[in-house]
Amino acid sequence: MQNPKNYSNYYFNKYQENNNVVLSIQKVLKSGNYYNKYVANVTQVNSEETVGKILLNIKKDSAHISLQVGNQLFLKPEFKKLIPPLNLHQFSYKDYLAKQHIYHQIFTSKSHYRRLNNNHYSLITLSASVRRKIQTSLKKHNFSKNEYAVINALLLGQRQEISKELLQDYTNAGAIHILAISGLHIGIILLILSFLFKPIERFKNGRLIKSILIILLLWMFAFIAGLSASVMRAVTMFSFVAIGASFKKKKIIEHSLISSMFLLLLIKPLFLFDVGFQLSYLAVFGIVWVQPLLYNLWKPNFWLLDNFWRLFTVSVAAQTGILPISLYYFHQFPALFILSNLIIIPFLGGILIGGILIITLSLLNILPQLIADFYGWIISFMNETVSWISNKEEFLFKEISMSFIEMIVWYLFIVLAFRFLISKNIKRFRYFLISIILVQSVYIFEAYQRNNKQELIVFHKSRKNLIGIRNSKKLELYHNLDSNKIDTEKSIIAYRINENIKSDFSSKKPTLLKFKSDTILIVDSLGIYQFKSIKNPIVLLQNSPKINLNRLIKKINPKQIVADGSNYKSYISRWNMTCRQRKTPFYHTGQNGAYIIK
């Protein structure tokens, strides 16, 4: 039901070359280096109404005015398929968008579309309009770039203006969740509202009235924050918690969380594969199940120390819930996450309430500049604190390998350990020991596989050469990369982390490589391939050699021709045509991805 591909009026079923298309902007994304990016609905193809979303890329232009949610465009586009990653273990933006039912993209420029006067109106459009009004009012109060970006993220759910450096600081400090409106923010707002509305409980049906008021205010906040998937998930979750809390039954929070999860997955089944969905629920379940156990280990008498201990155990419990899956996705562990949480989270409630007050006063044009400056200083202080923590690189553990199977057995271990700690009996102790054996078995099995793996990989790298020979736990690389950029080469980092191996770089350029029963002949810009003893090699073309490929095929009869990313596109097209005529297999890494021999 959710997938537009299953409907007869799906836009791609109606589309033909040079058709007129009407797009409606649904979401503004963070801009790339060369393009402004948007998610748009394809509302019309020629005269027929259609459904489906696409990724819209508009070439940056100094005269170009950014589009807004609800703007409608008229153009004659070419729908292009999304490109999968061309090297092993890299993040697949194609799969990420497919989970949002986006399968094509459009590249265009200002001169190739016409903006229509009539906008497409919806709840999301109205939300964006309110948000723009708030942003306009905030800009009058001279917040710095980083202050404004963080306020935009914290209160309006818009992270597009956060710089890469600031985003990296929050990531390294283990505080990235603070910048994304999630269960943390909604949970804090719920606690504050519950405290403020507690007197209502004295009246008849007070608990019900209180729950209704809280839910209305939570959804008002979600509306202002753009009704994004993460915000709606969090508000749905805590709406169920607010309803459940009014009944005061045993284990009502667990039942509320499971009910909200079930409802969300009924409406949007692919949320199950959404990283934000997984992290949110695992963190909350970690807090609900693990935090009481940790808190009961020590009960300070002094209230300040008690609150400090409670917050500490909440941070550790949440991290316990998400640790295996965060290592699986992000491969790093910020050891100072507790410090950043202990410093920021106690004041986050005040920052959120203060921010809502700032927005309200600025919309009414009665916000004193002194208050705006003070709030901006608080945000700057938070940014500087996070930056200071993130610079303690010795406490940031990077390149931690975690496979999917390892993640699953670690969660099994955590659940069974938790069950045993709650109720210590022989049966549960037995299951706990079995989980330890399972963890050990998976690590032994994966180490065995790693030690027995051999492969040759021609990585795709635009304008460069990169060949890797994997032997057991070591990857030897032959390349012509810049020496300053070797350590940051993403394709190698992704392969090294996911395969849990070490890599060595070599700048020498071999002409012949032997791998198992195959001989790889490398023909570079010099165009030399005169080797009498070679029979049926795999020929690797690099750096656009000026050769007669027809003559090369006739002379050495290669079993395959491979061209990497260092060759001109015009040469690739010509070589491909020649190989078709000669019935010789041709492989281009820029189209088919990294070439692998196992």
Side-chain angles (χ1 to χ4, degrees), residues 70-303:
N71 289 165
Q72 294 206 95
L73 311 180
F74 175 86
L75 66 165
K76 292 187 176 182
E78 179 188 353
F79 290 107
K80 294 186 176 181
K81 286 186 177 180
L82 293 158
I83 301 167
L86 295 173
N87 289 306
L88 295 166
H89 303 301
Q90 288 191 306
F91 172 70
S92 177
Y93 194 48
K94 178 184 177 181
D95 290 346
Y96 169 76
L97 289 177
K99 290 183 177 69
Q100 301 173 49
H101 305 301
I102 300 172
Y103 305 101
H104 296 94
Q105 61 182 333
I106 292 171
F107 291 90
T108 188
S109 61
K110 185 185 175 184
S111 58
H112 287 86
Y113 71 82
R114 180 158 55 88
R115 184 172 155 184
L116 302 178
N117 291 327
N118 57 321
N119 285 345
H120 182 266
Y121 291 103
S122 66
L123 200 60
I124 291 174
T125 310
L126 185 61
S127 168
S129 176
V130 171
R131 205 161 51 250
R132 281 197 300 275
K133 192 173 180 181
I134 293 170
Q135 289 167 335
T136 303
S137 68
L138 287 173
K139 284 177 180 177
K140 295 175 185 175
H141 294 280
N142 304 320
F143 292 108
S144 71
K145 188 178 178 182
N146 279 345
E147 289 169 5
Y148 176 74
V150 171
I151 292 168
N152 227 354
L154 268 175
L155 302 165
L156 304 177
Q158 306 301 300
R159 293 170 58 180
Q160 296 94 329
E161 298 192 41
I162 298 176
S163 65
K164 287 182 180 178
E165 295 76 19
L166 188 60
L167 200 63
Q168 193 61 50
D169 282 346
Y170 273 84
T171 302
N172 292 347
I176 190 65
H177 54 284
I178 289 165
L179 291 181
I181 294 178
S182 60
L184 172 66
H185 303 71
I186 306 302
I188 289 171
I189 292 170
L190 174 64
L191 288 173
I192 293 168
L193 292 175
S194 296
F195 174 75
L196 292 174
F197 294 150
K198 192 168 182 63
I200 297 175
E201 291 183 11
R202 298 172 188 169
F203 300 102
K204 187 181 178 182
N205 298 321
R207 231 180 261 163
L208 178 62
I209 295 167
K210 175 187 167 184
S211 298
I212 292 168
L213 283 172
I214 287 172
I215 291 166
L216 282 173
L217 289 170
L218 288 179
W219 280 101
M220 279 177 65
F221 183 76
F223 174 77
I224 292 169
L227 295 171
S228 65
S230 61
V231 175
M232 291 180 73
R233 276 200 308 266
V235 173
T236 302
M237 181 197 299
F238 283 99
S239 294
F240 272 80
V241 171
I243 294 166
S246 66
F247 291 103
K248 292 195 173 179
K249 299 277 185 176
K250 193 179 179 183
K251 293 190 176 180
I252 197 67
I253 292 178
E254 289 96 321
H255 295 155
S256 300
L257 290 172
I258 292 166
S259 301
S260 67
M261 186 194 296
F262 182 64
L263 177 67
L264 284 167
L265 291 176
L266 278 178
I267 297 168
K268 293 267 188 183
L270 288 183
F271 271 168
L272 187 62
F273 305 102
D274 186 281
V275 179
F277 179 89
Q278 295 166 1
L279 290 171
S280 292
Y281 275 97
L282 286 168
V284 174
F285 278 120
I287 292 167
V288 170
W289 289 337
V290 179
Q291 192 269 341
L293 287 175
L294 295 175
Y295 179 73
N296 288 331
L297 293 174
W298 178 46
K299 291 186 178 179
N301 293 322
F302 184 47
W303 71 269

Side-chain angles (χ1 to χ4, degrees), residues 328-383:
Y328 171 67
Y329 284 122
F330 309 118
H331 306 293
Q332 67 177 36
F333 175 68
L336 291 177
F337 75 92
I338 292 178
L339 180 60
S340 56
N341 285 339
L342 288 176
I343 292 172
I344 295 168
I345 290 178
F347 305 102
L348 190 57
I351 291 169
L352 288 171
I353 295 300
I356 292 167
L357 181 63
I358 290 285
I359 286 172
T360 306
L361 294 176
S362 68
L363 284 173
L364 296 171
N365 289 321
I366 56 172
L367 174 61
Q369 187 60 43
L370 184 65
I371 294 176
D373 291 342
F374 179 68
Y375 189 74
W377 177 83
I378 290 170
I379 298 295
S380 284
F381 181 74
M382 183 173 75
N383 290 343

Side-chain angles (χ1 to χ4, degrees), residues 8-11 14 22 42-52:
S8 59
N9 61 339
Y10 178 55
Y11 70 87
K14 306 289 183 181
V22 176
V42 184
T43 58
Q44 193 173 309
V45 173
N46 282 342
S47 58
E48 293 189 69
E49 288 189 6
T50 55
V51 295

Side-chain angles (χ1 to χ4, degrees), residues 544-564:
S544 307
K546 294 178 181 178
I547 56 170
N548 186 321
L549 191 62
N550 202 34
R551 190 183 303 157
L552 182 148
I553 293 170
K554 189 175 180 181
K555 188 155 191 170
I556 62 177
N557 190 28
K559 66 188 290 187
Q560 179 143 36
I561 304 284
V562 179
D564 70 7

Side-chain angles (χ1 to χ4, degrees), residues 85-86 586-595:
L86 295 173
F586 181 77
Y587 191 100
H588 174 40
T589 59
Q591 184 176 357
N592 307 108
Y595 179 74

